[in-house]
Amino acid sequence: MRSINVTMNISLDGVVQGPARPDEDTRGGFTHGGWGASHQDEVLAQEMAKGMSGPGDMLLGRRTWQDFITAWAHREDGNPYTTRMNAVTKYVASATLDDASAWHNSVLLRGDATQAVAELKAQDGNDLGIVGSAALVRSLHAAGLIDHYTLVVHPLTLGSGTRMFEGPAPLTQYRLTSSVTTTKGVIVAHYDRR
């Protein structure tokens, strides 16, 4: 059985929308996009590189997958992130996509995301890593399918935007396995489900 590992940038008030770029996700009139950029440093880069260095496949929701195509699919810059993003198998959960051929090594999981991911998780294979994809994370969390969280907690509040957990979620306990504080005050906290 595969495990599912989530990495999520999050503000102190729980916002996960648009951390990378101003135009990343403006749904609902969100105007704070790119809020994570000012907190980048070498410590955070090293922590994120650790997460990308091991074997594993990616699991993405449709919106994040389409955004990542723009950011990664056509780059050939020798960056280890670019190499990994393009080489790894990418499972995209979507009820609306017709195919996933727009990005090399992408596999479309059709229909109900929770059911499709539960079936994928039950198979032998590499562990699955989710970056972003908050709506997918919420549904998988509610179904008890998330095994590990890496929360990248940024020292700011945004007051608006999509939050990590909105709506019903079951009581689930996690154990802190490690944490690192960066020079910019970001806490990278790793949690395993008990």
Side-chain angles (χ1 to χ4, degrees), residues 60-63 92-98 108-113 116:
L60 303 164
R62 178 193 55 82
R63 287 185 56 87
V92 56
S94 176
T96 59
L97 278 178
D98 292 326
L108 179 59
L109 301 177
R110 296 180 191 273
D112 179 75

Side-chain angles (χ1 to χ4, degrees), residues 61-88:
R62 178 193 55 82
R63 287 185 56 87
T64 300
W65 178 78
Q66 288 174 322
D67 184 63
F68 280 11
I69 288 172
T70 307
W72 300 102
H74 307 292
R75 290 170 87 178
E76 295 181 16
D77 56 11
N79 179 320
Y81 292 112
T82 303
T83 302
R84 168 124 170 108
M85 295 293 281
N86 285 309
V88 70

Side-chain angles (χ1 to χ4, degrees), residues 45-140:
Q46 289 173 358
E47 286 299 304
M48 295 301 96
K50 285 180 194 175
M52 296 285 283
S53 65
D57 296 329
M58 293 191 73
L59 176 59
L60 303 164
R62 178 193 55 82
R63 287 185 56 87
T64 300
W65 178 78
Q66 288 174 322
D67 184 63
F68 280 11
I69 288 172
T70 307
W72 300 102
H74 307 292
R75 290 170 87 178
E76 295 181 16
D77 56 11
N79 179 320
Y81 292 112
T82 303
T83 302
R84 168 124 170 108
M85 295 293 281
N86 285 309
V88 70
T89 300
K90 295 162 283 290
Y91 294 95
V92 56
S94 176
T96 59
L97 278 178
D98 292 326
D99 83 297
S101 63
W103 193 3
H104 184 67
N105 293 331
S106 293
V107 177
L108 179 59
L109 301 177
R110 296 180 191 273
D112 179 75
T114 302
Q115 180 179 345
V117 171
E119 291 170 4
L120 180 63
K121 182 178 179 175
Q123 299 171 6
D124 289 334
N126 291 326
D127 288 343
L128 301 165
I130 302 175
V131 177
S133 301
L136 178 62
V137 169
R138 280 193 293 275
S139 65
L140 298 180

Side-chain angles (χ1 to χ4, degrees), residues 5-21 24-25 30 32-41 43-45 47-49 52 58 64 67-68 72 81 85 130-135 137-138 148-158 160-165 180 182 184-191:
N5 312 292
V6 172
T7 299
M8 189 75 70
N9 285 283
I10 186 167
S11 69
L12 288 177
D13 56 345
V15 175
V16 295
Q17 185 173 358
R21 309 181 312 278
E24 180 180 3
D25 183 353
F30 186 67
H32 302 301
W35 51 267
S38 67
H39 300 119
Q40 300 297 319
D41 69 0
V43 176
L44 184 55
E47 286 299 304
M48 295 301 96
M52 296 285 283
M58 293 191 73
T64 300
D67 184 63
F68 280 11
W72 300 102
Y81 292 112
M85 295 293 281
I130 302 175
V131 177
S133 301
V137 169
R138 280 193 293 275
H148 313 279
Y149 280 102
T150 296
L151 298 181
V152 183
V153 184
H154 293 257
L156 80 163
T157 59
L158 297 166
S160 67
T162 302
R163 287 176 168 69
M164 183 152 168
F165 294 111
V180 172
T182 73
K184 303 270 183 114
V186 173
I187 298 171
V188 182
H190 302 275
Y191 294 95

